Amino acid sequence: MVVVDDVHKWFGNVHAVRGVSFELPAGTVAGLLGHNGAGKSTTIRMVAGYITPDAGKVSIAGHDMTTARLAATRQMGYLPESTPLYPEMPTRDYLEFRGRLFGLSRAARRKRAEEVIERCWLKDVRDRRVGQLSKGYKQRVGLAASLLHEPRVLLLDEPTSGLDPSQVRETRDLVRELAQDRTMLISSHVLPEVEAICDRVIIFAGGKVRAAGRVQDLASSTGAAGYVAEAKLPASVSLSVLDNLRNIAGVMAINTSSLDAGWVRLDIQASRESGDLRETIARAMPASTIVRELRPKAASLESIFMRVLEQAAREEGTLAPGANSQSIADAAASNVAGGKS
Amino acid sequence: MNAVLSHWLPAWALARRELSSYFRQPAGWIIIALFLLLTGVVFAFAVLVPARPASMRAFFDASGWLLLPVAPAISMRLLAEEFRTGTVEGLMTAPVSTPALVLGKFLGSILFLLAMLIPTLVYPITLLAVSDPTPDIGPILAGYSCLLLLGILYLALGLLASSATSNATLAFIVTLFLILALLLVGTLGRQVEGTLRDIIFAMSLPPRLSDFAKGVIATNHVAWFLSLSALACAFAMIFVQWRRWR
């Protein structure tokens, strides 16, 4: 439904997006992750047709974004970052205007405007000027406008940035609901949000895709498993216990942190090939210790994300020694050059 | 036919939004009120003078000068404001071609100009009613045509300036300079010889205005106004399109 094929973008001599490719089959909900300046927004803007790529191709529902932009944009709803709206227009009039832009007939406009007002919980503010609305409402007006022409593809750039926690939850609920029958691409740096909504993630760093796929698949492909244990270790045995644990085949590192009342949290990193080590770990504890918790660590999106970024930094380092901090600076510069990439 | 319609309908949507936006903000009302106030004063004291042949000349002269600050004020926000607030992103990712986007904006500003000029029709109507002998209708028609063409040209220059910046104040200043250049370039023309002189006089605005003031609607002048406006619009389209590539 969405195809991005080897897309490049330069801002001046800053190579902001460096050969990005991905494909979203119909019904996919994908999250675009990365630090600020990693090229997420530039990429989503190229997918939306706002910026033309310097090389490569974008197509939506089979329509090429450069040669058939009007046909492609008719299939697409787009919510730009920070949701720019016309402050002097009432909600209802704004939706009418967007409907006209997309060439909806008068009857279709009326009907669809009512539907999206209902769906995005905007009934209370239909006659209020957009400029007077809270950020959360503005975000929903933007979402409503992007849904007006019943697009098959929805692109959301940072849909919850700048919202307070309750607005974040409202917007997230709405997005999750919308995700049920659409192809979606959501750019975000809020990892739990992506984890909650998306079934696939695309991780960006330095203008390149560093990892892409389902969260579970990424978890297994990025190596390392881990366990968390909480135990009461008498001071006399604690060093020998740690030695015992380190000697277990497969254990790579242990971090300890003291909790209150003599409890210690052990963060045990192990290689994935070593299988389930819980029993071995339990046996390594002497009888004088009490273990109140021992569980395998679920690979969170955050740990995957951090590992992918570390890997990316290492690769950059080997490609050009010392270029790593430079590439991050480049990406930051592209942020400035692109207005806000 | 249908394809053509669906290509240009968004321009109409944009023009309507633009026009309504002027009236949703105080600026639109204030511009119209001040324009009517000043032209009203001119009409009352310089046109409605007893015992003189009825002529609207003073009104048209004053209106032409008033357009100098008023037209740039109307046009300065057309695109610059969209760039500044980012709303242009919503337009450039909608099924709207760049020419339709620019012409829609232009049309919106022309509609506002009309909304400002239409109330002034009470002046010639008053004049026709009260003055004896009744004034010639020809110079009045020529005067209005001239005012409209002048307004359209100024707005097109304003649209061009507005398409090149995201700063409305800068767009206002640049527009004012472009207009003044057309008004003053003739002075320069007297200093030089040959082809350059011909070019400079071809660009000069005041001789055309004086022809209109004589009551003549000459086709070559009309063509000059419209083609210069079209040229400004074309450059505005290039500037907008260029933003996709920057």
Side-chain angles (χ1 to χ4, degrees):
Chain A
M1 186 59 73
V2 176
V3 180
V4 175
D5 182 18
D6 196 25
V7 157
H8 289 259
K9 185 72 199 175
W10 279 266
F11 291 117
N13 41 24
V14 175
H15 198 173
V17 174
R18 314 174 170 202
V20 165
S21 300
F22 57 84
E23 206 170 311
L24 306 179
T28 316
V29 179
L32 215 53
L33 292 176
H35 287 313
N36 287 331
K40 291 177 300 188
S41 283
T42 308
T43 302
I44 212 165
R45 282 176 160 180
M46 288 193 284
V47 175
Y50 179 50
I51 298 179
T52 309
D54 293 323
K57 272 189 166 181
V58 171
S59 78
I60 288 190
H63 304 287
D64 185 280
M65 193 43 96
T66 312
T67 57
R69 187 174 63 82
L70 301 194
T73 47
R74 269 185 244 282
Q75 305 294 333
M76 176 201 88
Y78 172 49
L79 181 67
E81 190 179 1
S82 75
T83 323
L85 300 165
Y86 300 101
E88 75 278 6
M89 293 183 94
T91 304
R92 182 58 217 261
D93 291 16
Y94 178 66
L95 294 175
E96 282 262 331
F97 162 66
R98 293 297 300 186
R100 254 191 219 110
L101 271 194
F102 279 85
L104 300 184
S105 69
R106 178 194 294 257
R109 254 181 355 242
R110 295 260 157 85
K111 180 168 152 284
R112 285 297 299 157
E114 285 311 315
E115 280 170 19
V116 296
I117 282 174
E118 180 91 20
R119 186 148 196 199
C120 300
W121 314 309
L122 291 169
K123 273 193 165 161
D124 302 341
V125 299
R126 67 185 325 144
D127 298 318
R128 292 259 302 275
R129 288 181 174 214
V130 173
Q132 298 171 342
L133 301 182
S134 71
K135 266 196 141 174
Y137 268 119
K138 279 185 191 159
Q139 201 71 9
R140 268 145 49 187
V141 172
L143 263 175
S146 69
L147 292 172
L148 214 49
H149 54 292
E150 301 183 84
R152 291 149 80 189
V153 175
L154 202 53
L155 310 171
L156 309 177
D157 195 357
E158 304 280 355
T160 59
S161 76
L163 300 184
D164 72 29
S166 73
Q167 294 166 341
V168 166
R169 208 179 46 235
E170 285 168 12
T171 307
R172 198 179 291 170
D173 287 347
L174 177 59
V175 169
R176 196 180 303 146
E177 197 187 304
L178 297 174
Q180 282 164 8
D181 47 1
R182 260 177 207 85
T183 309
M184 269 168 90
L185 183 62
I186 305 170
S187 120
S188 178
H189 49 232
V190 187
L191 299 177
E193 176 173 302
V194 170
E195 212 162 12
I197 300 171
C198 303
D199 47 43
R200 284 181 46 162
V201 294
I202 300 166
I203 300 178
F204 266 68
K208 286 182 189 161
V209 174
R210 303 294 177 162
R214 302 194 309 157
V215 177
Q216 307 92 289
D217 298 346
L218 287 179
S220 54
S221 71
T222 48
Y227 302 89
V228 173
E230 278 182 24
K232 200 169 229 170
L233 297 174
S236 55
V237 298
S238 71
L239 281 179
S240 65
V241 168
L242 287 179
D243 277 344
N244 285 349
L245 290 174
R246 285 203 185 93
N247 287 334
I248 297 172
V251 170
M252 300 190 299
I254 302 176
N255 291 316
T256 59
S257 49
S258 311
L259 308 173
D260 48 352
W263 290 97
V264 176
R265 175 186 296 241
L266 303 166
D267 191 341
I268 304 167
Q269 284 179 38
S271 68
R272 187 159 286 279
E273 303 79 53
S274 54
D276 191 341
L277 293 177
R278 276 178 295 178
E279 190 180 335
T280 328
I281 291 170
R283 282 180 191 284
M285 303 282 186
S288 56
T289 59
I290 310 167
V291 177
R292 70 174 179 188
E293 186 178 3
L294 174 57
R295 62 179 164 85
K297 250 196 311 193
S300 67
L301 185 54
E302 187 175 344
S303 66
I304 296 169
F305 181 64
M306 293 319 292
R307 223 169 293 146
V308 167
L309 291 195
E310 271 167 34
Q311 246 166 39
R314 263 201 305 276
E315 274 170 35
E316 294 283 302
T318 54
L319 285 175
N324 182 33
S325 55
Q326 186 56 42
S327 75
I328 292 168
D330 277 1
S334 77
N335 218 3
V336 176
K340 200 149 188 282
S341 82
Chain B
M1 181 61 208
N2 221 344
V4 175
L5 201 68
S6 72
H7 189 266
W8 292 107
L9 266 181
W12 179 236
L14 283 160
R16 284 183 58 155
R17 197 209 73 78
E18 205 59 44
L19 182 65
S20 69
S21 151
Y22 285 116
F23 290 111
R24 282 193 174 114
Q25 289 163 331
W29 294 103
I30 291 170
I31 289 174
I32 290 188
L34 290 179
F35 183 80
L36 291 181
L37 178 73
L38 283 173
T39 53
V41 168
V42 169
F43 177 73
F45 294 98
V47 175
L48 280 186
V49 184
R52 240 207 272 160
S55 153
M56 292 279 289
R57 179 80 190 261
F59 162 77
F60 290 123
D61 283 351
S63 299
W65 282 110
L66 276 177
L67 281 182
L68 202 59
V70 165
I74 295 173
S75 62
M76 66 181 189
R77 287 162 56 98
L78 281 175
L79 286 159
E81 187 71 4
E82 300 264 357
F83 297 146
R84 190 184 66 78
T85 61
T87 44
V88 73
E89 195 167 348
L91 300 181
M92 290 173 75
T93 54
V96 184
S97 68
T98 304
L101 169 56
V102 171
L103 288 183
K105 287 271 163 187
F106 187 39
L107 184 60
S109 67
I110 294 175
L111 290 177
F112 182 78
L113 176 74
L114 287 174
M116 189 176 79
L117 290 180
I118 284 169
T120 67
L121 289 175
V122 296
Y123 307 148
I125 290 168
T126 312
L127 200 63
L128 286 170
V130 300
S131 85
D132 186 35
T134 50
D136 242 355
I137 199 87
I140 294 178
L141 281 181
Y144 268 108
S145 313
C146 180
L147 212 50
L148 197 59
L149 286 169
L150 201 60
I152 287 174
L153 175 62
Y154 288 1
L155 289 176
L157 294 173
L159 181 73
L160 171 60
S162 189
S163 73
T165 173
S166 53
N167 182 333
T169 314
L170 187 61
F172 179 89
I173 303 283
V174 170
T175 312
L176 206 56
F177 269 85
L178 289 174
I179 296 172
L180 286 172
L182 290 181
L183 287 174
L184 301 175
V185 74
T187 354
L188 197 67
R190 275 175 230 123
Q191 318 290 327
V192 294
E193 296 292 325
T195 331
L196 191 59
R197 186 191 173 96
D198 295 341
I199 294 172
I200 286 174
F201 277 121
M203 292 304 291
S204 182
L205 183 50
R208 300 170 201 281
L209 295 183
S210 52
D211 277 3
F212 273 105
K214 288 173 202 148
V216 183
I217 307 180
T219 330
N220 61 333
H221 292 336
V222 174
W224 182 85
F225 275 103
L226 293 183
S227 40
L228 214 54
S229 306
L231 191 67
C233 281
F235 275 107
M237 288 170 197
I238 291 169
F239 278 125
V240 171
Q241 187 62 23
W242 179 72
R243 293 187 84 88
R244 283 189 204 281
W245 289 100
R246 91 226 123 105

